[in-house]
């Protein structure tokens, strides 16, 4: 006896679910075939004096060679905020700078994808550049585990005081006098020891005679 239509639907439902699950697994396996974890390495924090050039180091490790599909993106999270702004992109040897005003005409590529280097330079760093920088590298079919994060601290530029010439002359004079005194003391000690030895030898000769 043939099963009712409702029963046939109930029987087919589990098979349909297994089929959909198999398709999903197969598609996922296809997308990730040949891929592995791409790891990004950055320092936890760096300090740069305001008004100077700062380099944001970013290295990555990938099992696959870099090529035309390799790309690098940098984002910025200003200090005290939760939002991020993309301000730099590098792909196929071309630099694509964003329109974010704090970085306009300040960013330059300092990396080498063949050496797994995705670093950038920031010119004339100011206090508005305080914040967190995010380095994201894509190299299909590898999958990025987590982008690199750098906390940048912009500090006051140290102004070195002018060292007066008379100070240099005084230091040199003091060193010369010190060395002269030390040499004189050493010669005096050696001379005294020599005389003491001579007196001792003379006394022994007198006693034997």
């Amino acid at each position: 006896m043939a099963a009712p239509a409702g029963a046939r639907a109930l029987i087919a439902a589990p098979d349909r679910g297994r089929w959909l699950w198999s398709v999903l697994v197969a598609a996922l396996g296809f997308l990730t075939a040949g891929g592995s974890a791409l790891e990004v390495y950055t320092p936890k924090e760096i300090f740069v004096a305001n008004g100077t050039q700062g380099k944001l180091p970013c290295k990555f490790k990938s099992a696959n060679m870099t090529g035309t599909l390799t790309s690098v993106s940098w984002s910025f999270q200003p200090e005290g905020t939760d939002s991020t702004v993309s301000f730099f992109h590098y792909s196929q040897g071309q630099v694509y700078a964003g329109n974010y005003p704090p970085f306009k005409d300040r960013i330059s590529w300092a990396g080498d994808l063949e050496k797994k280097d995705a670093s950038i330079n920031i010119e004339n760093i100011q206090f508005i550049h305080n914040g967190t920088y995010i380095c994201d590298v894509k190299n299909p079919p590898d999958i990025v585990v987590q982008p690199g994060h750098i906390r940048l601290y912009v500090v006051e530029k140290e102004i070195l005081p002018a060292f007066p010439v008379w100070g240099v002359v005084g230091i040199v004079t003091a060193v010369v006098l010190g060395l002269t005194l030390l040499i004189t003391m050493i010669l005096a000690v050696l001379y005294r020891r020599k005389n003491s030895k001579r007196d001792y030898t003379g006394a022994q000769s007198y006693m034997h005679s």
Side-chain angles (χ1 to χ4, degrees), residues 180-193:
T180 302
L181 180 61
L182 179 62
I183 293 173
T184 302
M185 292 176 62
I186 293 175
L187 291 176
V189 171
L190 293 176
Y191 180 78
R192 183 173 298 177
R193 287 183 177 179

Side-chain angles (χ1 to χ4, degrees), residues 70-205:
T70 308
S71 64
V72 177
S73 297
W74 280 88
S75 301
F76 174 60
Q77 181 180 343
E79 188 175 29
T81 67
D82 295 328
S83 60
T84 59
V85 180
S86 179
F87 66 91
F88 180 88
H89 185 78
Y90 182 87
S91 178
Q92 298 184 15
Q94 299 294 322
V95 172
Y96 303 92
N99 296 320
Y100 191 49
F103 297 104
K104 185 175 177 59
D105 300 326
R106 295 177 187 265
I107 310 300
S108 60
W109 174 247
D112 186 342
L113 293 184
E114 292 185 358
K115 297 180 180 180
K116 306 295 194 302
D117 188 347
S119 306
I120 59 172
N121 287 329
I122 304 179
E123 302 291 338
N124 191 21
I125 284 185
Q126 302 297 318
F127 293 106
I128 58 173
H129 298 125
N130 271 308
T132 301
Y133 292 79
I134 304 166
C135 176
D136 189 12
V137 182
K138 290 181 171 55
N139 189 36
D142 286 356
I143 303 172
V144 180
V145 177
Q146 183 178 3
H149 291 70
I150 305 176
R151 180 66 170 89
L152 171 64
Y153 295 93
V154 182
V155 298
E156 287 283 357
K157 186 176 182 180
E158 295 181 359
I159 301 177
L160 298 177
F163 205 74
V165 176
W166 60 263
V168 177
V169 174
I171 292 176
V172 172
T173 303
V175 171
V176 171
L177 290 176
L179 290 175
T180 302
L181 180 61
L182 179 62
I183 293 173
T184 302
M185 292 176 62
I186 293 175
L187 291 176
V189 171
L190 293 176
Y191 180 78
R192 183 173 298 177
R193 287 183 177 179
K194 184 177 181 180
N195 286 341
S196 297
K197 184 176 181 181
R198 182 183 302 168
D199 293 341
Y200 177 75
T201 303
Q204 283 188 329
S205 299

Side-chain angles (χ1 to χ4, degrees), residues 39-42 57-61 115-119 135:
E39 300 176 4
V40 180
Y41 303 97
T42 56
C58 180
K59 299 278 189 177
F60 63 95
K61 180 180 180 181
K115 297 180 180 180
K116 306 295 194 302
D117 188 347
S119 306
C135 176

